[in-house]
Amino acid sequence: MPTTVQEKIDAQLEEIFAQLSFSPREALPKIHHVQTLACQHAYAKAQARALLAEGMAEVLLSNYTRAEDRLGAAISLLNKLGDHKGLAKAYQTLGAASIKTGQYQTAREKFVLAKTLYEQLGDKLNSAFLLNNLAAIDQRLGNFKEALNGFLESAETFEKLNDTQHQGAALANAAVIFEGLGDYTTALDYALKAVACIEKYNNAMHLAGVFNTLASLSLKMGNSSAAMEYALKSKHFFEVSGEKFGIATSLTMLGELYVQQKKFSDALAAYRQALSLRQALQDRWGTADALMRIGNLFAEEQKWQDAEKAYQESLERFAAGGEKLRLAQVQLALSQVLLQRKHFAKAEHLLQRALSLAEEVSALEELARIHLALSSLYASMQRYEQAYQHQCKFSEIDSALKDAERLKQMHHLQIRYDVQRLHDERQFFERKAERLESEMKRKQKELMKLTMSLVKKNQFLKSLYDTLGEIQSGARKRSHSILQKSRQDIQANLRSEESWRLFEAQFSDLHKTFLQVLAERYPELTPAETKVAAMLRLELSTKEIAALLYTSERTVESHRQSLRKKLGLSAAISLQTFLASL
């Protein structure tokens, strides 16, 4: 097939990959066209890349079953072609699809495969991305120590690679973990560092997410003015990026802040805007959550009928999704409204249903609140035995919760300690690696200095040997024997093995196993070929090798050809590159 056809197909594929992230649906027809071309011309590499592109497009379009099928076919072909870079991308995309479908263990397996391949390729940037992805899986699975360590390690790698945008994203993820662990001060510190990194690139989506985290942290730390400032910034950047889900999240945060400030009309406006967005997005859970918050607001203002209506609508939507915990929470809230309206029987019925749901999901905090509410209800109804029983249950669960909180704090401290220890160990080994690298560079410099000294010495001696030969041919008979003796001494020095032994000692100190591996794998190599191989490893030229071995450049070239043959190298593989890999 003419090279120009391959180049045309490759160019089309490059355009497709560039287009994928922002218009995957429009890219699909182009992908199918390239697949047809690649099949017609039996261009296997393009067929594999087109399958990869199709799989990536289907993931972006949420067609996960078809995506897995296309990516599986791509992996099979990429394996045959030995395309490790393409394989890594295929496994990475498969991992992303598995996360979307909640298959976290499968996602982890694919990400580990992709990370291993990227590490083999020396691709530190993509390795860091995969480390960040693996940490996100650990976060979802509740493995907070592993997640936190992964986010912080990837942030350090991004920093070394001067990729401050993704460094900021990793730091923001770490901030969320610290927030979940209750360490708000550290979380705030990491979130502010994340903002400093991301602001340089003005990535609206990333900035919106970090400012939302900052708003949440500031609210928990009691700094309502800072929380309001961050929430407004978050809303602004979500609006800039056109992310409606994010806008709704920011509006919900603003509503919480207005409630805290007793600005109920502003809070109601924010919640209603969030509700309108959630409904437009057909976000059932978000709609139910917004209605529950509106109900809480009406209850705070003692607008019981409005509160009851909002709670009832929220219940219907949570029931449709089978979210038992949220159902129990809304039923508890609605029962409080019914109690205020003296509807004791209805309130009792709701609380008993809420109790059953909370017990199913082992939600201790909700159980404690429900038992307390039932105790209060039965006391109001003068059913003191039942009131006492529920009060006892409340005290028992409340005590268990306090014990659990103490254990949780100890566990969180253990996580912090473990992560700090891992960080310190990582820094220790990195410093050790830097020292080893520095020492290797020093030894390499010494070896090259010795090698070039030997080259110059041999070049000088050869030149002197040739000059003496010219003198000898024209000298008188009595000086002939003296000159001949000098030439013999010089020639003996040039052919001496002492220089090689000195070179070999320095070389072996730097490239410890090279000569041993070469001898074990290729025992048919001659001593001369072994010497040439060692010097090629140092990237010496043919001329320099000839001078060092006191031989002709043609002889060195002959040794090179013999080496290629004995090592079994095709014309496409560089001899120096192969030797450098041993």
Side-chain angles (χ1 to χ4, degrees):
M1 178 177 71
T3 306
T4 51
V5 177
Q6 286 190 353
E7 289 174 348
K8 181 180 178 182
I9 293 173
D10 288 338
Q12 289 178 1
L13 278 167
E14 289 303 319
E15 290 177 9
I16 287 167
F17 280 109
Q19 181 186 3
L20 270 178
S21 60
F22 59 88
S23 56
R25 197 174 300 281
E26 290 74 11
L28 276 174
K30 298 179 182 178
I31 293 170
H32 296 151
H33 173 68
V34 168
Q35 285 174 336
T36 302
L37 278 177
C39 288
Q40 286 175 351
H41 295 280
Y43 188 13
K45 179 183 175 183
Q47 291 177 44
R49 294 187 69 209
L51 284 167
L52 172 59
E54 187 177 4
M56 292 169 66
E58 296 293 2
V59 169
L60 292 168
L61 294 169
S62 303
N63 300 326
Y64 303 119
T65 302
R66 180 161 177 79
E68 289 175 4
D69 176 66
R70 298 292 83 194
L71 290 167
I75 286 170
S76 177
L77 196 47
L78 289 163
N79 255 321
K80 291 177 183 177
L81 294 168
D83 184 349
H84 289 180
K85 185 176 180 180
L87 270 175
K89 188 64 181 176
Y91 283 128
Q92 186 175 5
T93 310
L94 262 180
S98 298
I99 284 182
K100 295 290 186 181
T101 54
Q103 300 175 70
Y104 298 126
Q105 292 301 340
T106 301
R108 184 196 297 280
E109 290 170 9
K110 303 307 178 188
F111 284 150
V112 168
L113 285 170
K115 185 171 179 288
T116 302
L117 286 166
Y118 280 129
E119 286 172 345
Q120 290 173 355
L121 292 165
D123 189 336
K124 294 182 179 179
L125 182 61
N126 273 308
S127 295
F129 284 140
L130 267 300
L131 182 61
N132 203 60
N133 290 341
L134 287 165
I137 292 174
D138 282 320
Q139 182 181 3
R140 285 175 169 84
L141 294 174
N143 304 326
F144 298 121
K145 181 179 76 173
E146 292 79 3
L148 186 55
N149 185 57
F151 287 138
L152 293 177
E153 188 178 347
S154 63
E156 289 174 8
T157 304
F158 286 130
E159 183 179 15
K160 290 173 185 174
L161 297 171
N162 293 318
D163 188 342
T164 53
Q165 181 173 204
H166 290 105
Q167 178 194 356
L171 290 171
N173 290 333
V176 172
I177 297 287
F178 280 117
E179 181 182 6
L181 296 175
D183 189 348
Y184 302 140
T185 304
T186 305
L188 185 66
D189 180 49
Y190 275 100
L192 289 170
K193 287 178 180 176
V195 170
C197 291
I198 298 169
E199 275 182 330
K200 298 174 184 177
Y201 294 87
N202 201 30
N203 186 314
M205 187 65 128
H206 284 172
L207 281 171
V210 179
F211 280 124
N212 191 63
T213 300
L214 282 167
S216 173
L217 284 167
S218 300
L219 181 61
K220 289 173 180 175
M221 296 174 77
N223 190 343
S224 57
S225 59
M228 180 64 73
E229 179 186 347
Y230 290 135
L232 289 169
K233 285 184 177 180
S234 175
K235 179 173 175 288
H236 165 72
F237 284 111
F238 274 130
E239 287 171 343
V240 169
S241 63
E243 176 49 60
K244 292 182 180 179
F245 279 103
I247 297 169
T249 301
S250 296
L251 285 165
T252 301
M253 176 66 70
L254 285 167
E256 285 186 54
L257 289 165
Y258 287 133
V259 169
Q260 192 180 70
Q261 296 172 0
K262 305 297 182 184
K263 295 179 179 179
F264 296 126
S265 59
D266 290 336
L268 183 60
Y271 285 148
R272 280 179 168 163
Q273 286 181 60
L275 174 62
S276 178
L277 275 173
R278 300 289 189 189
Q279 289 172 330
L281 292 165
Q282 297 182 340
D283 178 4
R284 179 195 51 74
W285 189 95
T287 299
D289 180 73
L291 284 165
M292 186 179 76
R293 292 175 187 276
I294 290 171
N296 292 342
L297 190 58
F298 283 136
E300 183 77 21
E301 293 185 285
Q302 299 185 1
K303 295 179 179 179
W304 308 120
Q305 287 186 334
D306 291 332
E308 184 177 351
K309 181 182 177 184
Y311 283 143
Q312 289 288 4
E313 290 183 31
S314 178
L315 274 176
E316 291 172 10
R317 286 165 175 78
F318 278 132
E323 285 109 351
K324 294 178 180 180
L325 176 59
R326 298 311 295 268
L327 272 171
Q329 291 172 341
V330 180
Q331 286 169 348
L332 174 59
L334 179 54
S335 71
Q336 302 304 306
V337 172
L338 293 172
L339 281 172
Q340 293 296 328
R341 301 182 69 187
K342 309 298 181 184
H343 296 163
F344 297 124
K346 287 184 178 180
E348 181 186 8
H349 177 66
L350 269 178
L351 285 171
Q352 290 294 347
R353 286 170 58 192
L355 182 63
S356 177
L357 287 168
E359 285 174 341
E360 279 188 52
V361 295
S362 302
L364 290 182
E365 290 183 9
E366 275 63 38
L367 280 171
R369 295 190 189 102
I370 294 166
H371 280 297
L372 188 62
L374 280 166
S375 177
S376 177
L377 169 66
Y378 287 130
S380 300
M381 298 170 71
Q382 298 184 352
R383 291 159 62 177
Y384 298 117
E385 182 181 355
Q386 289 170 293
Y388 174 72
Q389 289 172 349
H390 284 288
Q391 184 65 40
C392 288
K393 278 287 185 182
F394 164 75
S395 297
E396 180 185 330
I397 295 171
D398 186 56
S399 177
L401 282 169
K402 287 174 181 176
D403 289 341
E405 181 60 30
R406 285 191 288 272
L407 288 172
K408 181 181 174 182
Q409 289 176 0
M410 289 176 62
H411 178 61
H412 288 174
L413 283 173
Q414 180 68 43
I415 290 174
R416 292 295 314 281
Y417 166 74
D418 288 342
V419 170
Q420 183 62 49
R421 179 174 54 80
L422 288 168
H423 174 264
D424 292 343
E425 286 179 0
R426 190 162 58 246
Q427 287 198 325
F428 168 77
F429 285 116
E430 284 176 357
R431 286 194 295 269
K432 186 177 180 180
E434 287 171 1
R435 288 196 298 270
L436 288 172
E437 185 179 359
S438 177
E439 179 68 11
M440 183 169 283
K441 285 180 179 178
R442 182 187 65 77
K443 289 181 178 179
Q444 178 79 4
K445 189 176 180 180
E446 288 178 358
L447 176 58
M448 290 306 296
K449 185 177 179 181
L450 168 66
T451 302
M452 297 316 296
S453 173
L454 291 173
V455 168
K456 289 178 181 178
K457 184 204 77 168
N458 280 10
Q459 286 175 337
F460 169 75
L461 289 174
K462 187 176 184 304
S463 174
L464 180 59
Y465 177 80
D466 293 341
T467 301
L468 288 174
E470 292 174 9
I471 294 173
Q472 182 183 0
S473 63
R476 293 179 180 179
K477 190 174 182 179
R478 64 171 187 235
S479 62
H480 177 81
S481 60
I482 299 172
L483 288 172
Q484 187 169 358
K485 178 67 169 57
S486 297
R487 291 189 72 209
Q488 288 171 348
D489 290 343
I490 293 170
Q491 192 171 44
N493 187 286
L494 282 168
R495 297 188 183 279
S496 171
E497 285 291 313
E498 185 178 348
S499 295
W500 166 251
R501 285 193 292 272
L502 181 61
F503 170 86
E504 185 179 24
Q506 288 275 13
F507 181 89
S508 296
D509 188 35
L510 183 61
H511 304 278
K512 298 187 182 300
T513 61
F514 176 77
L515 293 175
Q516 180 184 345
V517 169
L518 201 64
E520 289 174 355
R521 292 188 188 176
Y522 308 100
E524 66 275 19
L525 294 183
T526 65
E529 288 165 351
T530 300
K531 291 177 183 179
V532 170
M535 292 169 192
L536 285 171
R537 169 111 172 176
L538 294 177
E539 299 183 359
L540 296 183
S541 68
T542 299
K543 184 177 181 180
E544 289 167 341
I545 296 171
L548 195 56
L549 296 180
Y550 184 54
T551 189
S552 68
E553 292 181 31
R554 180 176 293 180
T555 301
V556 174
E557 284 296 334
S558 176
H559 287 320
R560 288 178 66 124
Q561 292 302 316
S562 181
L563 272 170
R564 294 188 65 86
K565 185 176 180 181
K566 290 181 180 181
L567 298 177
L569 302 183
S570 67
I573 300 175
S574 163
L575 177 58
Q576 280 188 329
T577 301
F578 178 80
L579 292 170
S581 70
L582 293 179

